[in-house]
Amino acid sequence: MAHCNGARGSKMTAAELNTYTQSFASTSAAESSAHMADSWRVKGNAQFKEEQYGNALECYNQSIECHPTVSALANRAMVHLKLGMHEECIDDSSRALALDSHHVKSYLRRATARRRLGRWVEAVEDFEQAIRRETSNTEAIEGRRACIAEYVERTGAQFESVQVPITFEDMKVDETSLIRPIQVQQCTDSTTAATTADQQTRPVIDHQEVPKRTGPVGVTERAAMDMIMPAQKVPKNSIEFEKSWRSCKGDSVKQAWILEHVSKEAMPVLLKQCLSPKMLHQVLLTVLCRVLKSDWKQGIGILRSIPSTDRFQMNCMSLSKAQKREITTSWETAFQSEHAIDDAIQQQYRSVLLENL
């Protein structure tokens, strides 16, 4: 010990020795607690596999008391879920997420507990967080879809038998803002009612379908998404648009929501730095198959403004024949004779994109 601080060539003082001893003891105690915590966690896992949930809960309690970890908290949350202790599950999941905000299992368990408590909007938000981190997570995708359907069924039974027309009134937009203000007017039940099976609407989450513009707009999906999407920021520039669009990859409903809420006049600015053949293909299909269905004026406005985007013609020429054919088919279906589009817009697309028009 004479030359513990050999670099200085001096002896360790009594104060330094005491500090070192305390640090070593503290480190050893921490390592011991962590070891004991992991040991209790492993025992809890074994009890859980045997479906001995009471014993598993006690083991996880001991583990967390020794040293709280994400795994132990998430596992105890699962036990709480099995025992129907939903509030406790939410608490443990939240504690786990405070330690690791990317822990998908904790989002899923908290979402399940919230859903069982009838807190559907919060549950969908958790499912959304899980999907953002694991875009192909089947449990999260199916859970989100089922939660939206359950929310509509439990809180808006009229939506199954009554459809309400929604009127979107164009308002003057501040030139510095790319967000399009919207006013929604909802008619009373006495003004309109579903008279055919075709008019009844259930949430459609992933399936794209050709829009029908006759009759009232179904509000089940739209109302549910408006409840869920406030956390989704409306993009104000090209970088934000690309980030938002990619975060909704594979979800045409959310992508349609983005297009419905941006200023149609701002599309050339939003697409300026991020337009690619793939994105152009996705945007046009979303407009033709979804946006025109929910807001005809917005959809037409977007179609009118997109050709003004830099590199529009180059991206059109880079589309594959299959992509062009798909857009052409959707275009022809969307703009049937009773829903004609003015020649100026059609001409903008005919020259570089649409086939056989």
Side-chain angles (χ1 to χ4, degrees):
M1 191 70 70
H3 294 287
C4 227
N5 291 331
R8 294 183 296 169
S10 60
K11 294 181 179 180
M12 180 179 286
T13 65
E16 289 175 329
L17 179 61
N18 183 53
T19 300
Y20 175 79
T21 302
Q22 290 179 347
S23 176
F24 179 79
S26 177
T27 301
S28 298
E31 290 177 349
S32 178
S33 295
H35 178 74
M36 287 295 295
D38 192 58
S39 177
W40 278 113
R41 182 186 62 80
V42 172
K43 290 179 182 178
N45 292 349
Q47 292 296 313
F48 184 87
K49 289 180 180 178
E50 295 295 326
E51 299 185 359
Q52 300 296 318
Y53 301 130
N55 294 340
L57 181 59
E58 183 58 34
C59 291
Y60 291 137
N61 288 342
Q62 293 292 336
S63 174
I64 292 168
E65 186 176 343
C66 290
H67 180 65
T69 63
V70 173
S71 295
L73 287 164
N75 289 356
R76 190 170 71 174
M78 188 63 188
V79 172
H80 285 145
L81 201 58
K82 289 289 187 179
L83 296 175
M85 303 166 67
H86 301 126
E87 291 291 355
E88 290 80 358
C89 174
I90 291 171
D91 290 342
D92 276 346
S93 298
S94 297
R95 288 181 64 186
L97 290 168
L99 297 175
D100 180 5
S101 62
H102 296 286
H103 196 250
V104 172
K105 288 183 179 180
S106 291
Y107 282 115
L108 294 176
R109 287 163 192 175
R110 190 169 70 178
T112 301
R114 285 173 165 173
R115 178 184 173 189
R116 291 179 182 178
L117 291 173
R119 292 156 61 176
W120 295 288
V121 174
E122 292 175 277
V124 172
E125 288 174 351
D126 280 337
F127 283 128
E128 292 281 352
Q129 291 290 346
I131 293 170
R132 288 190 181 99
R133 289 158 177 81
E134 292 183 6
T135 56
S136 59
N137 189 300
T138 304
E139 181 181 352
I141 295 170
E142 294 299 324
R144 170 182 170 272
R145 179 184 293 112
C147 204
I148 292 175
E150 192 171 316
Y151 168 79
V152 171
E153 180 180 356
R154 299 287 182 86
T155 65
Q158 298 94 334
F159 291 160
E160 292 300 313
S161 58
V162 177
Q163 289 188 322
V164 184
I166 299 179
T167 303
F168 295 94
E169 297 181 355
D170 286 338
M171 299 174 60
K172 185 175 181 181
V173 181
D174 184 349
E175 293 181 355
T176 62
S177 171
L178 303 187
I179 302 176
R180 180 174 56 88
I182 294 177
Q183 285 186 335
V184 178
Q185 295 179 340
Q186 180 170 313
C187 297
T188 60
D189 291 348
S190 61
T191 59
T192 181
T195 56
T196 65
D198 288 340
Q199 287 179 305
Q200 295 185 348
T201 304
R202 297 189 62 86
V204 181
I205 305 302
D206 293 319
H207 176 64
Q208 280 195 346
E209 58 185 17
V210 176
K212 294 181 180 179
R213 279 159 295 285
T214 56
V217 177
V219 299
T220 50
E221 180 181 300
R222 180 82 181 229
M225 291 307 294
D226 281 343
M227 288 290 294
I228 294 162
M229 293 296 287
Q232 177 73 38
K233 183 179 179 182
V234 178
K236 298 180 180 180
N237 55 51
S238 186
I239 294 175
E240 290 183 359
F241 182 86
E242 182 176 18
K243 183 178 179 180
S244 297
W245 191 264
R246 293 187 186 282
S247 72
C248 302
K249 181 180 180 181
D251 191 333
S252 61
V253 176
K254 289 182 67 176
Q255 289 177 335
W257 185 93
I258 292 173
L259 294 176
E260 289 162 0
H261 287 76
V262 298
S263 168
K264 50 186 177 289
E265 294 83 2
M267 286 304 296
V269 177
L270 297 176
L271 294 172
K272 183 176 181 180
Q273 301 297 328
C274 62
L275 188 63
S276 65
K278 181 178 180 180
M279 180 175 287
L280 178 62
H281 174 250
Q282 292 174 346
V283 168
L284 289 177
L285 285 183
T286 303
V287 172
L288 292 169
C289 297
R290 284 197 175 275
V291 179
L292 287 172
K293 177 181 179 180
S294 60
D295 189 338
W296 179 260
K297 287 186 177 180
Q298 176 72 357
I300 293 296
I302 291 175
L303 290 175
R304 181 178 286 114
S305 64
I306 286 179
S308 300
T309 307
D310 291 347
R311 306 187 309 281
F312 169 72
Q313 292 194 14
M314 181 183 70
N315 279 285
C316 287
M317 290 186 289
S318 299
L319 289 169
S320 68
K321 289 185 177 180
Q323 289 174 322
K324 289 185 177 183
R325 193 177 304 114
E326 188 175 9
I327 293 170
T328 301
T329 300
S330 298
W331 184 286
E332 291 176 328
T333 305
F335 299 117
Q336 299 169 358
S337 57
E338 63 268 34
H339 304 297
I341 184 172
D342 64 75
D343 292 338
I345 297 177
Q346 187 146 298
Q347 185 60 40
Q348 287 179 301
Y349 288 90
R350 179 189 289 118
S351 61
V352 291
L353 177 61
L354 301 176
E355 299 178 345
N356 305 319
L357 287 185

